Amino acid sequence: QVQLAESGGGLVQPGGSLRLSCEVSGRTFSSTTMGWFRETPGKEREFVAAARRFGGTYYAESVRGRFIISRDNSKNMVHLQMNSLRSEDTAVYYCAAAPGSTIVSSLWGTAAYDSWGQGTQVTVSS
């Protein structure tokens, strides 16, 4: 059974940083593409970042230059370092897993991902 468990959410002031982590079990992590999405009430879940198994990383324009996705294949974990946080980054953040063969153009859509975590709340507020 595939399980994804996020951690690291919380309350942070604007301009601050948070690091989210996601541990994956029940799946061959090294052959999996990992992604982060976020969701706010009344809006569709939106793509944040993705990391392919051999190092390619991809970002939404709204977070490029502020967020960094990284993966630790030895620990079956993916991280999202979030810097220069803004109020509009407030959301529930989800990690997700997709087959390693997923083409790049599909990574921005939720349909490419077949496993999801429960989500972790990130609130950016003074």
Side-chain angles (χ1 to χ4, degrees):
Q1 182 180 1
V2 179
Q3 290 187 325
L4 284 68
E6 302 100 337
S7 61
L11 174 64
V12 63
Q13 292 187 342
S17 298
L18 275 177
R19 187 189 193 216
L20 304 184
S21 297
C22 175
E23 184 172 10
V24 181
S25 58
R27 185 171 187 145
T28 306
F29 184 78
S30 60
S31 62
T32 299
T33 293
M34 297 301 301
W36 286 96
F37 285 73
R38 64 188 182 187
E39 187 173 326
T40 55
K43 293 187 177 181
E44 292 187 357
R45 193 169 295 188
E46 67 171 356
F47 173 80
V48 175
R52 302 193 76 189
R53 51 184 171 167
F54 296 131
T57 56
Y58 309 88
Y59 296 93
E61 199 57 41
S62 59
V63 307
R64 190 185 304 277
R66 299 188 298 123
F67 290 11
I68 301 171
I69 187 171
S70 62
R71 53 189 297 160
D72 185 342
N73 289 339
S74 68
K75 296 182 179 179
N76 287 6
M77 295 190 74
V78 62
H79 306 286
L80 185 68
Q81 178 66 42
M82 305 186 295
N83 301 319
S84 302
L85 283 161
R86 307 167 180 168
S87 58
E88 53 262 40
D89 295 317
T90 295
V92 177
Y93 283 72
Y94 297 88
C95 72
S101 58
T102 302
I103 59 175
V104 172
S105 60
S106 296
L107 294 179
W108 277 257
T110 58
Y113 300 82
D114 51 29
S115 300
W116 293 82
Q118 293 299 307
T120 186
Q121 176 71 46
V122 172
T123 302
V124 184
S125 175
S126 56

